[in-house]
Amino acid sequence: MYLAGAGQDRLLTNDGQGGFRDETEARLPREAATAQDAEFVDVDGDRDLDLVLALEGGHALWIQDAQGFFQDETKARLPVAGFVEARKVAAVDVDRDGDLDLYFAHVGRQGRAAQDRLYVNDGKGRFTDETEKRIGSEANTTADARFADLDGDGDLDLVRVNLGPLEIVVNDGRGVYTDVSETALPKAISGPGLGVEIADFDGDGVLDPYVAFLAGPLERSPRVRPPAARDQGPSMSPHARATIGTCSPKPRPSRRTSLRSPPIAAPRSRACAPSSRRTSAPISKRVCSTG
């Protein structure tokens, strides 16, 4: 079991009976970074699992030896990341050459570069930055990225969930990607999105994306979501559905008083029940009534 977070990550090994021993000090490099995602994958083809980390301050690659100990080989194997914050990492064979390439999803804030990066494996666990050649430029803050064969042609396409619009990016079979969001989706789906899962939800033999959206201050920001979309909710494909409601503001007490009647007191509590109204954004709110 691997626990990633702020400061030293932890590695717990199973004793075979469901109990765990902390072997962090013996097996992992000493580090103090903030890891936001971690994936165990065999990047160098030696049949053991190496570790790729998406860090708040960049990327990391730890190579496992034959005894199960990890060495930090980031500088020797990965391109220089620059000033970035990586939220997610996906290990995927984008060019169908039999080895795993790496896709890092980046968050653009506080001056960090929002451009996601695609690193292509040479087959021995050493990577080249081929972002410009294969996915082109983009400036969205990406919260999640998943690969799946969406069009049934045998290669892996990309669903990218941003704080802006949802994106569908298809693979041409050679590992070069084209954004087809305008034609693949009924309408632009505005964020902020946080995550995506891809599965055949309705059992018709094709894959459907389920996208999780954030309800909160970002949703109310006109820079993220226009007022019209805020009122009506974003449009979604038939396969992505959710329940949404509205929450009525708490009534304010009347300021008018008379000599014969006391001021009207504000309600002390509210009882909320889930809304049953269906819409397309995968978020859930409440309808509130005063009591």
Side-chain angles (χ1 to χ4, degrees), residues 216-290:
L218 283 175
E219 182 189 67
R220 296 192 294 270
S221 170
R223 292 175 296 176
V224 176
R225 192 173 174 197
R230 267 202 322 272
D231 296 337
Q232 301 172 6
S235 299
M236 289 288 286
S237 68
H239 297 306
R241 298 182 178 128
T243 302
I244 186 171
T246 58
C247 191
S248 303
K250 184 177 181 179
R252 295 183 178 180
S254 171
R255 294 179 179 273
R256 298 181 180 180
T257 62
S258 69
L259 295 177
R260 297 182 179 180
S261 60
I264 300 174
R268 296 183 178 180
S269 63
R270 295 187 294 171
C272 296
S275 170
S276 59
R277 181 164 60 92
R278 305 288 298 179
T279 143
S280 50
I283 51 179
S284 178
K285 298 184 180 178
R286 294 171 179 258
V287 174
C288 300
S289 62
T290 60

Side-chain angles (χ1 to χ4, degrees), residues 38-93:
E39 295 289 338
F40 282 94
V41 293
D42 181 9
V43 300
D44 53 4
D46 62 355
R47 299 185 180 182
D48 57 33
L49 295 177
D50 310 302
L51 181 59
V52 187
L53 298 169
L55 305 177
E56 194 172 82
H59 314 144
L61 175 56
W62 297 351
I63 300 298
Q64 184 180 178
D65 64 18
Q67 288 76 42
F69 298 94
F70 291 85
Q71 300 294 326
D72 186 350
E73 298 190 15
T74 305
K75 292 182 178 179
R77 293 178 179 270
L78 293 183
V80 176
F83 187 47
V84 299
E85 177 180 341
R87 179 60 54 87
K88 293 287 183 180
V89 58
V92 57
D93 186 5

Side-chain angles (χ1 to χ4, degrees), residues 12-23:
L12 309 181
T13 59
N14 196 321
D15 63 6
Q17 297 179 338
F20 293 88
R21 295 183 295 268
D22 188 345
E23 297 193 12

